[in-house]
Amino acid sequence: ISVELTEEGLNKVEDIVTIVYQYIRMLQTKTSEEEWRRVFSECEKLNTMSFRFKSKESPSNYVTSLSTNLHKYKSDDVLSGPWLYREFDFNLIQEFLAHLKPDNMRNLVASQSFRGNTTLSEKWYGTEYSKVPFSASFIQRLNSEETSVNLHLPNANEFIPTDFTLKFENLDEVAKQQLKYPIRLDPAAPEAHQSLLSYFTSSSPSPPPLSRQPSASTIPPPHAQTIHIDMAIKCNSLKKADTFSKSDPFVQVHYVPALNSTPVY
């Protein structure tokens, strides 16, 4: 268990550790199996989402983490082991919590403020440190049955997403397939494309009307008559940006089946 301290917190280490053990005691004695199942389910969903949409990282760091995982997981679980929750085991949770007790604790406090006040030096890196025994009063506080009424599990998180499918309203299957990939905006695009692009590179206060259906030579679906433009961040939240040009690689268009007569921006 790691706790980051402020300067004031550094002077109240014993108080903070005491509260940590009160929370552990609350988990041990006042948390039902149903509550644990709810917490497990939330963590499972969040970790599954994090694993599915995991960001790329440094190849060297990734290889190092995978090498470490080889010592912890079966070969089939090396990639997903640290992320995915496999099964809920209430008895295992209780067994683990039983080991979190004061007489099985080592408390490490690290701060630059201890520089010059230490008595020992680590063998390999020369890190300075001191060993200090716990006071009898501190041990007594940790073993107390007292638990603050303000300690409780987090409330249920109602905003964890589970369905990541794209939503299409009033579109047939053909239209959905045509929306699957964006189409790169071509400098030689039809007049309708150029009028929309001009809006983002001009000082016009309002978007131009889409007076006619774009050319069939560039748009396969006959019912596609509005255009949706996706911009990169440099577009400043879909506002006009003077940096855009007809050959700007950050501009893409989707052809959207007409839901009304107004272009979709």
Side-chain angles (χ1 to χ4, degrees):
I1 299 174
S2 298
V3 179
E4 293 188 8
L5 304 175
T6 61
E7 292 183 6
E8 182 179 0
L10 190 61
N11 297 321
K12 298 182 179 180
V13 170
E14 290 191 359
D15 292 338
I16 294 171
V17 175
T18 299
I19 293 174
V20 168
Y21 271 96
Q22 287 185 8
Y23 193 88
I24 292 174
R25 193 171 299 109
M26 180 271 295
L27 294 177
Q28 293 171 330
T29 62
K30 298 183 180 181
T31 307
S32 66
E33 181 174 350
E34 182 181 356
E35 290 177 301
W36 274 115
R37 285 187 181 277
R38 190 262 298 173
V39 173
F40 179 90
S41 177
E42 291 185 358
C43 293
E44 180 183 34
K45 293 173 183 176
L46 289 171
N47 275 34
T48 299
M49 180 174 60
S50 297
F51 179 69
R52 178 178 177 183
F53 300 104
K54 186 178 182 301
S55 301
K56 291 183 179 180
E57 58 182 288
S58 163
S60 59
N61 290 341
Y62 189 49
V63 169
T64 300
S65 65
L66 293 183
S67 300
T68 302
N69 291 345
L70 287 170
H71 297 280
K72 301 178 181 180
Y73 305 99
K74 297 178 180 179
S75 57
D76 291 343
D77 299 327
V78 168
L79 297 178
S80 62
W83 300 90
L84 302 185
Y85 284 44
R86 304 299 182 185
E87 60 180 296
F88 175 79
D89 190 333
F90 180 68
N91 292 329
L92 181 60
I93 293 174
Q94 295 300 311
E95 180 182 346
F96 180 83
L97 286 173
H99 290 286
L100 301 179
K101 50 188 178 181
D103 59 2
N104 194 29
M105 173 185 69
R106 179 174 58 184
N107 188 25
L108 173 65
V109 183
S111 171
Q112 291 290 338
S113 64
F114 298 135
R115 186 183 296 276
N117 298 316
T118 56
T119 59
L120 300 171
S121 178
E122 187 270 330
K123 177 180 179 180
W124 303 105
Y125 295 97
T127 303
E128 298 175 349
Y129 69 99
S130 295
K131 288 183 178 180
V132 181
F134 299 134
S135 66
S137 60
F138 180 45
I139 294 296
Q140 184 177 3
R141 290 174 62 187
L142 295 181
N143 288 318
S144 171
E145 296 296 326
E146 179 184 357
T147 303
S148 173
V149 296
N150 296 319
L151 298 177
H152 58 82
L153 287 174
N155 294 327
N157 187 347
E158 301 177 358
F159 303 100
I160 299 178
T162 56
D163 184 358
F164 301 96
T165 56
L166 298 177
K167 299 298 183 182
F168 299 97
E169 296 182 2
N170 302 324
L171 301 184
D172 57 30
E173 291 302 319
V174 175
K176 292 177 184 179
Q177 289 300 317
Q178 291 157 354
L179 283 174
K180 188 174 182 180
Y181 301 105
I183 301 175
R184 181 72 65 179
L185 186 63
D186 190 338
E191 179 182 345
H193 304 187
Q194 300 293 353
S195 64
L196 286 171
L197 183 59
S198 297
Y199 163 63
F200 288 99
T201 57
S202 70
S203 58
S204 174
S206 59
L210 185 61
S211 58
R212 67 179 180 85
Q213 181 174 329
S215 169
S217 61
T218 57
I219 303 177
H223 54 280
Q225 62 182 38
T226 59
I227 296 177
H228 175 79
I229 295 186
D230 288 336
M231 298 295 187
I233 295 176
K234 64 182 289 188
C235 185
N236 191 20
S237 300
L238 296 183
K239 295 180 180 179
K240 291 190 299 181
D242 294 336
T243 55
F244 280 91
S245 66
K246 294 180 181 180
S247 59
D248 198 310
F250 290 95
V251 181
Q252 295 178 327
V253 297
H254 286 292
Y255 296 105
V256 184
L259 304 181
N260 51 50
S261 59
T262 305
V264 181
Y265 292 92

